Amino acid sequence: MENAPAQKVVDPDIFDQHRMRDQQVLETGDTVTYEDVILNQAGEQTWYEVAKSRIQDPVTGDPAVLLMARDITERKETQQQLADALWLCKRSALSTV
Protein backbone atom coordinates (compact mmCIF):
# COMPACT_ATOMS: atom_id res chain seq x y z
CA MET A 1 0.00 0.00 0.00
CA GLU A 2 1.38 3.40 -0.99
CA ASN A 3 1.67 6.17 1.57
CA ALA A 4 -0.14 9.41 0.78
CA PRO A 5 2.17 12.40 0.30
CA ALA A 6 2.80 14.32 3.49
CA GLN A 7 0.75 17.47 3.84
CA LYS A 8 2.27 20.70 5.06
CA VAL A 9 1.05 21.53 8.51
CA VAL A 10 2.66 24.97 8.70
CA ASP A 11 3.94 27.17 5.90
CA PRO A 12 7.79 27.25 6.05
CA ASP A 13 7.86 31.05 6.48
CA ILE A 14 5.39 30.87 9.36
CA PHE A 15 7.35 27.97 10.87
CA ASP A 16 10.49 30.14 10.79
CA GLN A 17 8.63 32.96 12.60
CA HIS A 18 7.52 30.53 15.33
CA ARG A 19 11.02 29.11 15.63
CA MET A 20 12.49 32.62 16.00
CA ARG A 21 9.99 33.41 18.79
CA ASP A 22 10.86 30.13 20.50
CA GLN A 23 14.56 30.97 20.29
CA GLN A 24 13.90 34.44 21.74
CA VAL A 25 12.01 32.89 24.67
CA LEU A 26 14.78 30.35 25.29
CA GLU A 27 17.53 32.99 25.15
CA THR A 28 15.90 35.75 27.19
CA GLY A 29 13.53 33.86 29.45
CA ASP A 30 10.89 36.50 28.66
CA THR A 31 7.31 35.48 27.98
CA VAL A 32 6.14 36.40 24.48
CA THR A 33 2.45 37.03 23.83
CA TYR A 34 0.92 37.60 20.41
CA GLU A 35 -2.17 36.96 18.31
CA ASP A 36 -2.17 34.45 15.48
CA VAL A 37 -4.77 33.48 12.91
CA ILE A 38 -5.18 30.04 11.38
CA LEU A 39 -7.14 29.35 8.20
CA ASN A 40 -8.78 25.95 7.89
CA GLN A 41 -9.25 24.22 4.54
CA ALA A 42 -12.65 25.92 4.11
CA GLY A 43 -10.96 29.32 4.47
CA GLU A 44 -12.51 30.06 7.88
CA GLN A 45 -10.36 31.98 10.36
CA THR A 46 -9.67 30.99 13.93
CA TRP A 47 -7.84 33.59 16.02
CA TYR A 48 -5.60 32.61 18.93
CA GLU A 49 -3.92 34.55 21.69
CA VAL A 50 -0.60 32.75 22.14
CA ALA A 51 1.78 32.96 25.09
CA LYS A 52 5.18 31.29 25.06
CA SER A 53 7.31 30.94 28.19
CA ARG A 54 10.57 29.24 29.04
CA ILE A 55 10.35 26.28 31.39
CA GLN A 56 12.73 23.58 32.50
CA ASP A 57 11.95 20.07 31.28
CA PRO A 58 11.26 18.09 34.46
CA VAL A 59 12.83 14.91 33.05
CA THR A 60 15.95 16.15 31.27
CA GLY A 61 16.43 19.51 32.96
CA ASP A 62 16.81 21.12 29.53
CA PRO A 63 15.16 24.47 28.80
CA ALA A 64 11.93 24.15 26.82
CA VAL A 65 9.15 26.37 25.52
CA LEU A 66 5.68 26.13 27.01
CA LEU A 67 3.02 27.28 24.56
CA MET A 68 -0.45 28.26 25.74
CA ALA A 69 -3.11 29.35 23.28
CA ARG A 70 -6.73 30.33 23.63
CA ASP A 71 -9.34 30.84 20.96
CA ILE A 72 -10.20 34.56 20.70
CA THR A 73 -12.19 34.34 17.46
CA GLU A 74 -15.37 35.63 19.09
CA ARG A 75 -13.51 38.63 20.55
CA LYS A 76 -11.95 39.46 17.16
CA GLU A 77 -15.35 39.23 15.45
CA THR A 78 -16.88 41.53 18.07
CA GLN A 79 -14.02 44.02 17.64
CA GLN A 80 -14.64 44.03 13.88
CA GLN A 81 -18.38 44.55 14.37
CA LEU A 82 -17.69 47.50 16.68
CA ALA A 83 -15.21 48.99 14.21
CA ASP A 84 -17.75 48.62 11.39
CA ALA A 85 -20.49 50.25 13.49
CA LEU A 86 -18.20 53.15 14.40
CA TRP A 87 -17.30 53.66 10.75
CA LEU A 88 -21.00 53.71 9.82
CA CYS A 89 -21.73 56.24 12.60
CA LYS A 90 -18.92 58.52 11.43
CA ARG A 91 -20.01 58.20 7.81
CA SER A 92 -23.61 58.99 8.78
CA ALA A 93 -22.53 62.00 10.84
CA LEU A 94 -20.41 63.35 7.99
CA SER A 95 -23.21 62.97 5.46
CA THR A 96 -25.59 65.10 7.57
CA VAL A 97 -23.15 68.00 7.79
Side-chain angles (χ1 to χ4, degrees), residues 7-69:
Q7 292 183 348
K8 293 181 189 174
V9 176
V10 178
D11 180 274
D13 293 334
I14 294 172
F15 179 80
D16 287 341
Q17 291 173 8
H18 286 285
R19 187 174 45 187
M20 287 176 18
R21 285 190 180 117
D22 291 349
Q23 193 63 38
Q24 175 188 358
V25 168
L26 289 171
E27 290 174 1
T28 67
D30 294 338
T31 297
V32 175
T33 304
Y34 58 95
E35 293 179 355
D36 202 0
V37 63
I38 305 294
L39 294 176
N40 66 17
Q41 290 183 348
E44 299 165 334
Q45 295 181 336
T46 302
W47 283 89
Y48 293 95
E49 180 180 66
V50 180
K52 292 184 176 186
S53 300
R54 184 173 69 184
I55 61 169
Q56 186 173 355
D57 185 299
V59 176
T60 66
D62 294 335
V65 175
L66 171 67
L67 180 143
M68 295 173 283

